[in-house]
Structures are given as C-alpha cells and as structure tokens.
Amino acid sequence: MSVARSRMLDLMKVQCRIFSTTYNPERLRTGSKVLRQRLRGPTLAAYYPRRAVTLRDLKRAFPGCVTWDDKEEDRLENIQIAKSRGKGAPKKKRTAEGAYNFVLQRLLVFHG
C-alpha cells in the first residue's frame, strides 16, 4: 500500500512550513548550509592588529607639510651608493626599439 507522490509532496510542503525549512523536492544543492554559517570576516579582521599611522600616510594626507623620514632617506641614500658602484637596478625598457638600441649601445661600449 504505497502512498502517491503528490500526497508525499504535499506532506513535505506542510512539514517545511511548520518547521521553517526550505521546500526542495528535487533535492537540488542550494548552498543554504554555507549561508547559515556565521560570517568569518569580523573574526579575521579582529585577528590582525590595526595599522598604525606612518610618515608616508601623513605625507599623503598633508602634501604641503614638510616631514623628515629617516628610513626613507637612508633607503634613497643606499640606492644612490649602489648606483654609483654600478650595482643599482637596471633601467626599465621603454619600447621594444629602445631596448634594441640600448643593447647595441652596451655591445659597442664593451666591444668597441
């Protein structure tokens, strides 16, 4: 004595209405399990300490104000020293033709 499918579906509808669940007779994946979970964003944001204000931030906020950043000055000085010894970063390529001309100049300097 089996029960008709339509009666079972009606029973499922009533059951879902009573227990406040979603009616899904085809049992499709809806993602409701993930949506019911607690949000993780606030927990992750609270894990990391707040960012402190730096001299770079102050320079951006007040461009006319004169500030002195020792670390930045040391960094720029070290870059100049490295460049004077020939240890600096290479020049950036501007165009394909410019890169070709640059290579030719270097070849002429070393072999010319």
Side-chain angles (χ1 to χ4, degrees), residues 33-100:
K33 175 182 173 183
V34 175
L35 294 173
R36 279 194 312 262
Q37 293 176 357
R38 269 189 18 230
L39 296 176
R40 295 181 183 153
T43 308
L44 290 176
Y47 177 79
Y48 295 101
R50 292 192 177 267
R51 195 171 144 242
V53 177
T54 61
L55 285 173
R56 183 178 287 172
D57 295 336
L58 289 175
K59 281 184 182 179
R60 268 192 228 129
F62 306 104
C65 184
V66 178
T67 57
W68 184 263
D69 187 1
D70 286 333
K71 288 183 180 178
E72 183 68 14
E73 294 298 323
D74 288 342
R75 186 182 75 83
L76 293 174
E77 185 180 350
N78 288 337
I79 289 173
Q80 287 298 335
I81 292 169
K83 281 186 180 179
S84 68
R85 291 185 296 147
K87 302 291 186 178
K91 293 183 180 179
K92 290 185 178 178
K93 179 173 86 168
R94 297 188 191 272
T95 62
E97 183 182 334
Y100 180 73

Side-chain angles (χ1 to χ4, degrees), residues 3-18 23-25:
V3 181
R5 178 165 167 74
S6 61
R7 293 273 299 189
M8 289 298 292
L9 293 177
D10 290 339
L11 178 64
M12 279 178 56
K13 278 184 192 175
V14 172
Q15 182 180 357
C16 290
R17 208 175 313 129
I18 291 171
Y23 176 66
N24 188 7

